[in-house]
Amino acid sequence: MDHKENGKKPAFNAGANNTSESLLGKNNYINMTEDLRKSSNTYSNILQDQRHNSEMPSDMALSPKSRRNFADLMLSPVRFTQRKFRAGGTSGSIFSLVAATLGAGTLTFGYAIKENGIAWGTFLIVFGAAISYYTGMLLVHASNHTSRHRYEDIADALYGKKFARFTSIMNLLCLLAFIMSYIVYIKEAIPKIILIFAPTLDSFIVDPYWGQKFWGTIFSFCILFPMSLPRSINALRFSSAFGVLCSVYLCLAVTVIFWSDRGLVADPWENFKEAEYFVFSFNGLVTSMPLIIFAYMYQVNIPLIYKELERRNAKTMGKVLIRGSTAAIVLYAMVGIFCYMTFVKEPWVITQNIFEAPYGSNVAIIVGQFTLFFAVMTAAPLCVLPAKDTVEELFYKKEGLSTKVNALVTLALVSICFLLSISIDKIGDAITLAGATINPVIGFIIPVMFYWKVRSDLPATSYQKVISLSVAIIIIIVSIMSLGNFIYLKIKS
């Protein structure tokens, strides 16, 4: 959900991927630079005073810009990054888009490549990025046409209050799906992390069934609930950047391990020869597409990112989308291809969670488990906060959320997500459910509906409308087949 307008309290939305899914709390990056800008200027002044008081020759003095960059880099690498990727700049907008894309979905791409082969699987990854870019640009056109910068406001301007309310509900369900996925990942990850350091431990806390229920309860009500009580995200504002770094690290780690760990890969070039490049199967397609749809769920962030652009026009936003999507393609393809190539001789060990692959005690993968674990743990509250804003918009618009109501709403949202997560044991299952139900509606179908209303002047047979309708139909068909296949496999097993 994007910022509320007219002086109202800002509302933040989660993307994918990010982390996240992103991981999903991804809009917060856009809003966290002003205080850093002020403090960095102070440090620049300190350096300037030191230069005047020193005996350094004037021709050796740093320029104001160099002094500022040096101060930021030495005193805070994060501050330096925030300046280089400032909100509203092209680089900053690309980073925001990447933050809205990368997340827990990164874990599933080894499976997508294994099921479809390197070439066909990579094509599906590119196809997912292409249709996400396309629907993102449809949202840009709708935002320009209505001069609105929130999903609900665009829906209200084009279709009226009832459809705006429907859009709000879909946004809320999308956020709840992300939170549920985070809880599933956490409760699945903790027992495995414990067993890394205590492999002989015989306790219910590492039991595949009761251990997950226990840690899901602890995380939901002892960590997630209190962290989600505030109405501000200031304390968690760096979690989006942290989630991006964790996802990038995991992609690089999997790639480096393939080329350097001779215990896992005796001959990398031999693995390339044994790999499959085209695997066409119904099961491979319908089990992979929900994962890809989930991984590219950045559409809810597009109107806000577009609003923050310094040069706000469709051409500049197109560049942001292309470059951000290209970065995601490269990282997703890297982690997917090299995970599959590492275990090409035993592909059955690759599941929808890359950490289940038998990497053994490889330090890089263990570090990746820890970093992604903490990234998800801090990102989850950033989905609860915009969910509360949506509830406030739907049911408490006039009076707002009091302290007591805020606590009750937070508890209700966390409880709903916890109950949903109880019956789901695998992060891949959680992502598949979200990617085959809520995500297609909010990320692909609604943008097409917006576009048809915006271009009501075009005939239904125009190529613009035919293309947009084709995208919607493809997504609907694939989502129905994916959900049906998922239910069938669960009943069968």
Side-chain angles (χ1 to χ4, degrees):
M1 176 185 294
D2 303 327
H3 286 308
K4 295 181 181 179
E5 298 176 353
N6 303 324
K8 294 185 179 180
K9 200 169 0 184
F12 298 86
N13 215 333
N17 234 186
N18 306 127
T19 318
S20 346
E21 350 164 139
S22 197
L23 301 169
L24 18 31
K26 300 166 182 172
N27 289 345
N28 62 321
Y29 169 80
I30 301 173
N31 305 286
M32 65 188 183
T33 58
E34 184 61 31
D35 55 336
L36 299 178
R37 191 178 294 118
K38 293 178 181 178
S39 59
S40 63
N41 288 338
T42 301
Y43 288 122
S44 294
N45 292 336
I46 292 173
L47 287 183
Q48 186 177 15
D49 293 340
Q50 290 177 345
R51 182 177 67 82
H52 286 310
N53 295 331
S54 68
E55 297 180 356
M56 181 186 296
S58 59
D59 60 341
M60 295 177 60
L62 297 173
S63 67
K65 181 177 180 180
S66 298
R67 290 198 308 273
R68 183 179 63 187
N69 287 341
F70 178 77
D72 282 355
L73 182 59
M74 295 303 294
L75 294 168
S76 174
V78 173
R79 182 182 297 117
F80 179 76
T81 302
Q82 298 297 343
R83 181 181 297 282
K84 299 302 286 184
F85 296 100
R86 72 188 188 282
T90 302
S91 298
S93 298
I94 293 171
F95 186 86
S96 297
L97 186 69
V98 173
T101 306
L102 300 181
T106 310
L107 299 173
T108 65
F109 278 91
Y111 175 86
I113 294 295
K114 179 200 75 170
E115 288 293 316
N116 299 281
I118 293 177
W120 178 235
T122 302
F123 172 82
L124 293 178
I125 293 174
V126 175
F127 175 74
I131 60 174
S132 294
Y133 161 80
Y134 177 72
T135 54
M137 290 306 298
L138 296 186
L139 287 169
V140 171
H141 290 305
S143 181
N144 279 335
H145 180 80
T146 61
S147 298
R148 307 292 177 88
H149 304 288
R150 292 197 312 146
Y151 248 63
E152 296 90 334
D153 293 335
I154 296 174
D156 186 20
L158 295 175
Y159 288 99
K161 294 190 179 300
K162 288 185 178 180
F163 193 76
R165 191 176 184 85
F166 169 77
T167 304
S168 293
I169 293 173
M170 296 307 299
N171 256 335
L172 178 60
L173 293 176
C174 185
L175 289 165
L176 294 180
F178 280 121
I179 300 166
M180 179 266 293
S181 300
Y182 292 153
I183 296 175
V184 171
Y185 173 75
I186 291 293
K187 73 186 183 74
E188 182 185 6
I190 294 180
K192 295 176 182 177
I193 292 175
I194 293 175
L195 288 174
I196 290 175
F197 300 97
T200 60
L201 180 64
D202 184 16
S203 171
F204 79 94
I205 64 172
V206 294
D207 182 78
Y209 182 80
W210 291 110
Q212 286 200 17
K213 303 298 184 287
F214 173 77
W215 291 115
T217 304
I218 294 297
F219 172 70
S220 297
F221 299 104
C222 298
I223 298 176
L224 179 58
F225 171 65
M227 288 181 68
S228 303
L229 283 173
R231 299 301 305 276
S232 169
I233 65 168
N234 288 337
L236 301 170
R237 60 189 177 183
F238 294 115
S239 61
S240 290
F242 183 50
V244 172
L245 293 176
C246 291
S247 298
V248 172
Y249 168 81
L250 179 61
C251 297
L252 294 176
V254 169
T255 303
V256 171
I257 288 170
F258 170 77
W259 291 107
S260 62
D261 192 331
R262 290 295 171 264
L264 286 173
V265 184
D267 184 354
W269 299 111
E270 184 64 27
N271 283 26
F272 272 104
K273 295 178 182 178
E274 295 188 22
E276 294 188 85
Y277 289 83
F278 292 93
V279 179
F280 300 105
S281 71
F282 174 81
N283 184 72
L285 179 65
V286 299
T287 58
S288 300
M289 282 308 297
L291 309 178
I292 294 172
I293 289 174
F294 182 94
Y296 285 109
M297 259 302 297
Y298 56 58
Q299 288 87 341
V300 291
N301 299 277
I302 295 301
L304 178 59
I305 295 175
Y306 181 57
K307 178 185 178 182
E308 295 291 331
L309 270 180
E310 294 172 351
R311 292 180 293 174
R312 191 188 308 165
N313 56 68
K315 182 178 180 180
T316 302
M317 191 63 195
K319 291 180 180 178
V320 170
L321 284 170
I322 289 175
R323 294 173 186 177
S325 298
T326 300
I329 290 171
V330 171
L331 292 171
Y332 287 154
M334 281 175 56
V335 70
I337 291 173
F338 289 109
C339 173
Y340 167 62
M341 293 295 295
T342 301
F343 302 102
V344 71
K345 298 180 185 296
E346 44 181 355
W348 56 87
V349 303
I350 303 174
T351 68
Q352 293 177 338
N353 183 351
I354 195 173
F355 291 134
E356 292 182 346
Y359 280 99
S361 57
N362 189 284
V363 175
I365 294 297
I366 293 175
V367 171
Q369 284 185 281
F370 272 101
T371 55
L372 195 58
F373 171 80
F374 285 110
V376 169
M377 187 173 67
T378 56
L382 297 174
C383 290
V384 179
L385 299 180
K388 289 193 295 184
D389 288 327
T390 303
V391 171
E392 183 180 48
E393 178 79 15
L394 287 170
F395 305 108
Y396 300 93
K397 192 170 184 178
K398 292 183 178 180
E399 65 273 25
L401 295 181
S402 64
T403 302
K404 180 180 178 180
V405 174
N406 173 59
L408 292 175
V409 169
T410 304
L411 180 61
L413 292 174
V414 171
S415 299
I416 291 171
C417 295
F418 169 74
L419 292 175
L420 291 173
S421 71
I422 285 297
S423 59
I424 302 175
D425 296 328
K426 302 289 186 181
I427 182 61
D429 291 346
I431 291 176
T432 298
L433 281 173
T437 54
I438 306 300
N439 292 167
V441 176
I442 200 70
F444 298 91
I445 297 173
I446 289 181
V448 170
M449 294 178 66
F450 286 168
Y451 181 72
W452 269 62
K453 192 70 172 181
V454 168
R455 298 309 308 270
S456 57
D457 58 309
L458 294 176
T461 55
S462 64
Y463 78 91
Q464 297 99 324
K465 286 193 171 181
V466 169
I467 292 174
S468 62
L469 184 61
S470 299
V471 168
I473 291 174
I474 290 171
I475 290 296
I476 291 172
I477 293 174
V478 170
S479 298
I480 292 174
M481 290 192 302
S482 298
L483 183 61
N485 185 70
F486 176 82
I487 295 172
Y488 169 75
L489 292 177
K490 290 302 175 184
I491 293 175
K492 183 179 178 181
S493 62

